[in-house]
Amino acid sequence: MGKVLMKGNEAMALAAIKGGCDAFFGYPITPQNEIPEYLSYHMAQHDRIFVQAESEVAAINMVYGAAGSGARVLTSSSSPGIALKQEGISYLAGSELPAVIINVMRGGPGLGGIQPSQGDYNQITRGGGNGDYKLLTFAPETLQETVNIVKASFSLADYYRNPVMIAVDGLIGQMMEPVDLDQKIDEKPTKEKDWAATGHAKKRGHRNKIVSLYLDPYDLEKHNLKLKAKYDEMLETEQRYEMINMDHNPSLVFVAYGSMARIARSAIQVLKDAGIEVGMIRPITISPFPEKAFKHLPDSVHTLLTLEMSLGQMLQDVQIVNQGRYTLDFYGRAGGVVPETEDIVEKAKAVLKGGKGQ
Amino acid sequence: MKTKTIYKPTGGLVDRDLSYCPGCTHGIIHKLVGEVLEEKGLLDEAIGVASVGCSVMSYEFFNCDMQQAAHGRAPAVATGIKRVRPEHTVFTYQGDGDLASIGMAEIVHAAHRGENMTVIFVNNAIYGMTGGQMAPTTLINQKTSTSPTGRKKEGTGEPLRMSELLATVPGATYLERVSVHDPKHIRKAKKALEKAFDVQTKKQGFSMIEFVSTCPVNWGIQPQDSLEWMVDNMIPYFPLGIYKDATKEENNE
Amino acid sequence: MNRLWILTGHYGSGKSEVAVNLAIDEQLDYLVDLDVVNPYFRSRSVHALLEANGVSLVESTIEKATGSDLPFISAKGSRPFHDKASRAVYDLAGTQAGAKLMRQYTDIIDEREIEFWLVVNIYRMETANEAQILNLINTLEGASGLKVTGLINNSNLMHETTEEHIKKGDTVLNAVSKKTGLPIVFTFIEEEVKTNLKFAGENRRLIRHLGKHWL
C-alpha cells in the first residue's frame, strides 16, 4: 500500500490494528469518535474484539481485564473521558499491565469545549490517578509520526508492562494528511506473558494473580521501588525529541510539541525568511520529559520560549531541566484557541527585542 | 482396616485458612464455588475476578487464575477477560456495596449485554470491610455506622433488591437468590451455582447467584445469632427463589 | 445543470473544501452546511469568508459556534428549495451518516432542480478503485433516496499532490463514468500543482480555505 490520505483518528485506529491490537473498549466523546467508529467495523473484519462500554470507567476496567488475561488492548477518549479513566489507569500501572490509551485532547476544565487543547499535560505527566506511577507518553506532531508510534506502542507497553499513552490534541485527531501505514518501525523484542491470568493454572503449574493490593507497607514500598526502577529505565532509554534549526546558531529556541510544534515550525520558516534564525526543541515523549535535549544546546542560545495550547504546564518541566541556565519565556493559548503563525512570529520578535510581547 | 473417604476439602480452594470472621458465610460460599468449579472440571481454565470489600482477598483463596478489580468494576473487568478468552469460565465475586452501590452501572450493563459470565453476589446488607457503613441493601431501621439511628426511607431510600432489579434487564439469563443458613439451603445454593456455571458453559449468557449473608461483627450480634437474624429480617425482604430463568424460555421455543 | 448542488461522498473526500470553492467561484446564493459528524474543518468555520463573498451560510441553529458538536439542523436548510430563483450548494457529512440527512427533504425535493454529485478522492482507502466507488454510489443512493447525477474528481494527497495523482484519479473516475453513464462534472486541481493537462469535466483550482497552511 502506498500513501493514502487519512484523518488522524482513523489513521490511529488502523495503525492500532496493524500494531497487533487484539481488543478495543471505548465510549463516545468528541473529538475522537472516528476511532471507535472505525474500529467497530474494522476490528470485526480482523476477527478482533470491539466493545462500546457503558462509560469510560467501564471501558478502562475492561481494558484492565483484557490486558490481565494477556491481550494487546487499546482504549481511546478525550480529556474529560481520560479524567474518568484515571482509576483504571492507576490499576493498570499498579498491576503492571500493558495497554495503550489514546487521548485526543480538547479544552477544559469541566466539559470545556471540543476544540483542540494541550491542557491535559499535567494530568498525563504528573500521574492523573492515585499513587506513585508514570505513563510512557508520546505527543506526536504529524500523522506519519503518530501512526508509527501507535504501531510501536503495543510492543513498548508489553516490554515495560506499563500503560502507554498517545496524547494528541484534537487537531491531530481531526486533520487529514498523507500517510504510509506500512513504514518499518522499531519494536521492542517480544517476551512471553507468563504473568498473565489466562486461565491455564494447571498447564502452567501455578496460579497467576493480577493484583495491586499489598497488605504490608514494606511489600508495597518494595513494589513501588520496582516500578520506580522501570520508570528510571524509561527515563534513560525512551526520551525522544527532535532538534530543529540548531545548526544556525539561534539565540532563541522554541519548546513545543504536537500541533503547537507544527505552528512553531511554520513560524521558524517565516522568521528565517526575515533573516532571523530560531531553533526548536520538539519533545516527542512528554513522559519521560526529554531533558537530554536541553543539555547540548548551541552556545548561541540565550532564551527558551515555551509554546503551549495550555497555560504553562510544560513550562514547569522546562523550568526544572533549565536550572537557571537560560532566560525563560512563555506563550500559551487555551480553551481551544489555536494561534496563527503570525502570533508566534510576533512573540518571537518581541522576545528577541527584549520585550515580553503578547 | 479399610478407610473410606466421606469428606475432603475442595481442591477448588487453596489449602490455607480463610480470613473471614466467625459467623460470616463467605467461607461456606467460597467452599461451594470451589466445589462446583472442581466438580465441573472448570478449575484449570477458570479466571475469577475479586472485588473490593471483605472478599477483596478472594484471589488468595480460589484455586485458579484470578484478577483483582477496582471497587464495583468486576463485571467490566470480567467482560474484558471473557471477550478475549471466550472459551474460559469467568466469574466475579462481589459484595453488596461493590455490586449494588458503586458498581451499579457495571453490573446492569454486563447483564444488559448478556455477557456470558457468572456473578456471585454476597449480600449482607452492610459494608463490612470499611467498618459497617450503610449499604444500598441495608434494611429499614437497621443501625450502621453511617445510619446511627437506623436507616430511614426518607433521604436514604429503601433497600435495593438486585435480583429483582436485574430480572427486568432483557440480557440477563439466570438469576437466583439463595441462602446458606442450614444444610438444606446449602444444598440448594450449590445447585443454583451448578446451574449458573452450566448456563455459562452452554454459552447461554449472564447468570448471577445472590447469597443472603451475615455480618455478625458489624451487625453487633453473636455469630450464632446472626443466621437467625438473617432468616428473620433479611429473607422476608429478600425472598429466596429464581428471579429469571431464560434457559427455560429457550427450551420451550 | 440544475440549480441545487448536493455534495456527497466518503468522509474525508474533500466535500467541504469543494463546497466552499464552488460557492465562491460560482457566486452561489447559499451554502448549506449539513455536516453533523465532523467537529472541525466544516464549511461553517469560514462564515466570514462566505459572507464577504455574498454567500448566505446556512448551518446549525447555534450559529458561529465552532466549539459546538450539537447536531442541530436549521430549518433554514430548506429555504433554497422554496426560493426558486436561488442557487445553492449542500455540503453533507460523509457516507451514509451524512447522506441520510437528505431524507428530511423528501417532500420538497424536485429531482429536476437538483444535482447529486459524488466527490471522490481515490487516495482515500475506501474509494481507491472502481468497485469501491460503485459500491459507495449504491450505499449513498440508498441512504439519501436520491440518484447520483455526476462525479467530481478531487483526488489529492494534499501538499504532496502531483499531476500524476490527479491523472490516476481521472483514469479511475473515467472507468466509473463509462460503467454508470454519470458525467465527470469537475476535476479539482490542488492549488500548487503544476500541470498543463486537461482532465475530465470542468477543471478548477482548489484553494484550501478550511485547512491552515501549517496543516
Side-chain angles (χ1 to χ4, degrees):
Chain A
M1 196 167 77
K3 276 203 175 175
V4 288
L5 190 61
M6 289 195 90
K7 194 173 191 176
N9 283 336
E10 56 173 12
M12 287 191 277
L14 179 53
I17 292 175
K18 287 186 179 272
C21 174
D22 298 309
F24 174 89
F25 304 93
Y27 186 80
I29 184 170
T30 309
Q32 62 85 52
N33 290 321
E34 294 83 357
I35 298 175
E37 284 169 1
Y38 188 94
L39 291 174
S40 66
Y41 177 78
H42 289 273
M43 287 297 264
Q45 298 293 304
H46 288 80
D47 278 328
R48 304 191 198 173
I49 312 298
F50 170 89
V51 178
Q52 179 172 323
E54 63 270 30
S55 66
E56 284 92 347
V57 176
I60 194 70
N61 282 287
M62 290 176 189
V63 167
Y64 171 71
S69 61
R72 283 186 157 182
V73 199
L74 173 72
T75 187
S76 68
S77 192
S78 176
S79 309
I82 294 292
L84 279 169
K85 286 185 196 288
Q86 296 302 337
E87 169 190 270
I89 294 173
S90 173
Y91 270 72
L92 285 163
S95 309
E96 295 193 83
L97 295 184
V100 178
I101 303 146
I102 294 174
N103 181 3
V104 185
M105 292 185 276
R106 61 188 249 182
L111 199 48
I114 60 162
Q115 293 297 322
S117 162
Q118 297 179 327
D120 294 357
Y121 186 93
N122 281 349
Q123 178 179 261
I124 294 163
T125 60
R126 300 310 194 254
N130 62 300
D132 251 323
Y133 76 93
K134 283 180 192 295
L135 302 178
L136 176 55
T137 303
F138 295 88
E141 181 196 17
T142 64
L143 290 200
Q144 188 64 58
E145 187 173 66
T146 306
V147 157
N148 292 354
I149 286 171
V150 170
K151 274 163 70 182
S153 61
F154 292 93
S155 85
L156 279 161
D158 283 350
Y159 178 82
Y160 286 108
R161 289 185 58 185
N162 201 67
V164 171
M165 183 173 279
I166 320 290
V168 297
D169 55 77
L171 271 175
I172 299 203
Q174 291 295 325
M175 66 186 261
M176 297 193 67
E177 208 166 38
V179 283
D180 175 358
L181 280 140
D182 297 319
Q183 271 189 12
K184 231 185 122 40
I185 50 155
D186 285 336
E187 284 190 282
K188 292 277 185 189
T190 49
K191 288 184 276 194
E192 213 202 321
K193 297 183 175 180
D194 53 4
W195 45 264
T198 55
H200 297 99
K202 193 172 189 179
K203 209 163 83 185
R204 196 188 302 120
H206 63 269
R207 304 187 311 121
N208 276 347
K209 294 171 281 182
I210 307 291
V211 174
S212 61
L213 175 68
Y214 292 82
L215 296 183
D216 181 341
Y218 291 97
D219 287 343
L220 179 53
E221 186 187 47
K222 217 159 94 184
H223 176 60
N224 287 140
L225 290 169
K226 182 186 168 210
L227 296 180
K228 169 83 164 54
K230 201 160 74 174
Y231 305 140
D232 288 345
E233 187 189 341
M234 286 182 204
L235 181 68
E236 189 49 43
T237 59
E238 300 302 336
Q239 287 185 38
R240 294 188 207 175
Y241 54 90
E242 185 187 359
M243 302 292 247
I244 297 149
N245 207 34
M246 291 298 184
D247 45 2
H248 289 85
N249 294 318
S251 75
L252 175 64
V253 167
F254 295 152
V255 187
Y257 67 98
S259 286
M260 200 54 157
R262 293 178 79 101
I263 306 167
R265 204 183 275 276
S266 73
I268 288 171
Q269 191 55 50
V270 171
L271 289 160
K272 192 187 272 287
D273 294 344
I276 304 167
E277 297 292 349
V278 174
M280 175 156 68
I281 297 172
R282 180 174 75 86
I284 300 172
T285 52
I286 54 172
S287 174
F289 189 69
E291 53 185 39
K292 289 177 189 171
F294 295 77
K295 288 186 176 145
H296 307 288
L297 292 176
D299 294 340
S300 57
V301 176
H302 177 270
T303 303
L304 304 181
L305 172 58
T306 302
L307 308 170
E308 300 175 20
M309 274 147 63
S310 50
L311 298 179
Q313 299 192 27
M314 182 173 69
L315 177 62
Q316 292 177 329
D317 276 332
V318 175
Q319 285 165 339
I320 291 167
V321 301
N322 183 50
Q323 295 178 336
R325 279 175 299 165
Y326 304 105
T327 304
L328 298 184
D329 209 326
F330 176 73
Y331 177 86
R333 300 302 293 267
V337 176
V338 181
E340 297 291 341
T341 305
E342 296 70 36
D343 298 329
I344 309 298
V345 169
E346 263 175 51
K347 173 71 187 179
K349 282 180 177 167
V351 170
L352 286 167
K353 258 191 217 142
K356 272 307 214 179
Q358 268 315 303
Chain B
M1 194 176 88
K2 261 193 155 178
T3 57
K4 191 174 142 201
T5 305
I6 53 165
Y7 178 84
K8 64 179 172 67
T10 172
L13 295 180
V14 176
D15 187 13
R16 58 175 288 176
D17 291 342
L18 300 182
S19 49
Y20 305 110
C21 314
C24 170
T25 64
H26 267 316
I28 299 170
I29 300 164
H30 272 41
K31 178 170 102 90
L32 293 180
V33 173
E35 282 177 358
V36 171
L37 289 173
E38 184 184 34
E39 288 160 17
K40 292 197 171 289
L42 302 174
L43 268 185
D44 298 321
E45 50 110 338
I47 306 170
V49 182
S51 61
V52 173
C54 284
S55 62
V56 65
M57 299 266 296
S58 66
Y59 58 80
E60 296 289 7
F61 304 136
F62 290 113
N63 198 9
C64 58
D65 277 1
M66 293 290 294
Q67 185 160 358
Q68 200 276 318
H71 199 17
R73 316 298 178 220
V77 175
T79 298
I81 297 169
K82 187 70 182 190
R83 294 296 183 111
V84 168
R85 306 215 167 259
E87 302 308 319
H88 289 254
T89 299
V90 176
F91 67 95
T92 72
Y93 191 103
Q94 305 174 255
D96 47 314
D98 192 84
L99 181 140
S101 187
I102 193 167
M104 180 61 98
E106 284 76 13
I107 191 67
V108 169
H109 283 274
H112 165 58
R113 289 187 301 268
E115 295 294 342
N116 190 32
M117 60 169 68
T118 301
V119 172
I120 292 124
F121 170 39
V122 182
N123 171 12
N124 62 358
I126 206 158
Y127 282 81
M129 178 201 218
T130 46
Q133 292 86 359
M134 184 183 69
T137 43
T138 294
L139 298 176
I140 291 293
N141 294 325
Q142 189 182 337
K143 288 181 182 169
T144 71
S145 57
T146 53
S147 58
T149 58
R151 180 179 191 171
K152 302 286 180 292
K153 180 181 166 186
E154 295 73 28
T156 57
E158 291 178 83
L160 276 176
R161 297 183 178 101
M162 288 307 297
S163 291
E164 288 87 331
L165 188 153
L166 291 176
T168 67
V169 176
T173 299
Y174 190 79
L175 306 166
E176 184 173 352
R177 184 183 287 127
V178 298
S179 169
V180 291
H181 61 271
D182 60 29
K184 183 177 144 225
H185 282 89
I186 291 174
R187 281 195 294 275
K188 202 146 186 244
K190 186 168 172 184
K191 286 257 178 320
L193 282 171
E194 287 169 350
K195 170 77 180 176
F197 280 106
D198 284 346
V199 164
Q200 185 177 168
T201 307
K202 292 179 189 159
K203 300 191 191 300
Q204 289 174 313
F206 181 90
S207 55
M208 180 179 88
I209 306 302
E210 173 178 352
F211 289 81
V212 182
S213 180
T214 58
C215 186
V217 170
N218 286 301
W219 290 355
I221 55 180
Q222 289 198 69
Q224 57 270 40
D225 295 337
S226 64
L227 286 173
E228 205 176 311
W229 193 90
M230 181 190 89
V231 171
D232 291 347
N233 297 283
M234 285 189 69
I235 292 180
Y237 191 84
F238 298 108
L240 308 183
I242 296 169
Y243 285 87
K244 188 166 183 191
D245 186 356
T247 63
K248 276 192 180 156
E249 292 160 29
E250 280 174 27
N251 293 341
N252 291 342
E253 274 166 12
Chain C
M1 236 176 244
N2 294 324
R3 67 182 183 89
L4 303 177
W5 304 346
I6 302 161
L7 302 186
T8 188
H10 196 274
Y11 91 91
S13 57
K15 292 177 296 299
S16 294
E17 293 281 17
V18 167
V20 173
N21 275 267
L22 284 176
I24 293 172
D25 292 355
E26 299 284 330
Q27 296 181 296
L28 300 181
D29 301 299
Y30 295 101
L31 188 158
V32 185
D33 178 357
L34 291 181
D35 189 340
V36 291
V37 174
N38 295 294
Y40 303 176
F41 307 118
R42 295 176 291 197
S43 41
R44 70 191 64 169
S45 63
V46 291
H47 50 82
L49 176 76
L50 292 167
E51 221 164 273
N53 281 277
V55 182
S56 295
L57 171 69
V58 179
E59 51 147 326
S60 167
T61 50
I62 309 174
E63 293 180 351
K64 297 176 186 174
T66 50
S68 161
D69 60 347
L70 299 167
F72 303 147
I73 292 296
S74 168
K76 290 178 195 161
S78 61
R79 191 175 284 173
F81 290 104
H82 300 299
D83 183 355
K84 297 288 182 186
S86 69
R87 293 162 74 225
V89 59
Y90 280 75
D91 177 16
L92 300 179
T95 325
Q96 301 102 303
K100 71 184 177 202
L101 258 77
M102 291 314 293
R103 288 279 182 183
Q104 64 183 306
Y105 301 122
T106 305
D107 288 351
I108 52 170
I109 287 181
D110 179 346
E111 293 208 352
R112 291 165 303 181
E113 289 191 325
I114 63 159
E115 300 291 348
F116 190 45
W117 289 333
L118 182 78
V119 180
V120 179
N121 178 355
I122 64 154
Y123 295 96
R124 295 288 288 150
M125 285 166 73
E126 296 81 0
T127 53
N129 57 48
E130 187 187 324
Q132 286 179 319
I133 296 167
L134 291 173
N135 193 30
L136 180 64
I137 291 175
N138 251 328
T139 309
L140 295 174
E141 288 185 342
S144 64
L146 303 175
K147 286 278 169 212
V148 171
T149 62
L151 308 169
I152 295 177
N153 179 15
N154 186 41
S155 295
N156 74 85
L157 279 176
M158 297 182 80
H159 53 276
E160 294 182 21
T161 311
T162 64
E163 188 181 72
E164 272 308 300
H165 292 123
I166 304 165
K167 211 164 126 189
K168 214 176 145 203
D170 194 65
T171 308
V172 172
L173 278 185
N174 268 310
V176 174
S177 176
K178 208 170 156 195
K179 186 146 268 170
T180 58
L182 295 171
I184 299 174
V185 201
F186 294 103
T187 292
F188 275 86
I189 300 163
E190 195 78 20
E191 206 178 347
E192 284 153 23
V193 172
K194 289 187 184 62
T195 178
N196 296 315
L197 293 179
K198 165 81 176 80
F199 302 99
E202 276 188 49
N203 288 200
R204 294 291 175 86
R205 286 283 165 180
L206 184 87
I207 317 241
R208 291 197 177 268
H209 295 293
L210 303 181
K212 309 249 183 197
H213 56 93
W214 43 265
L215 279 174

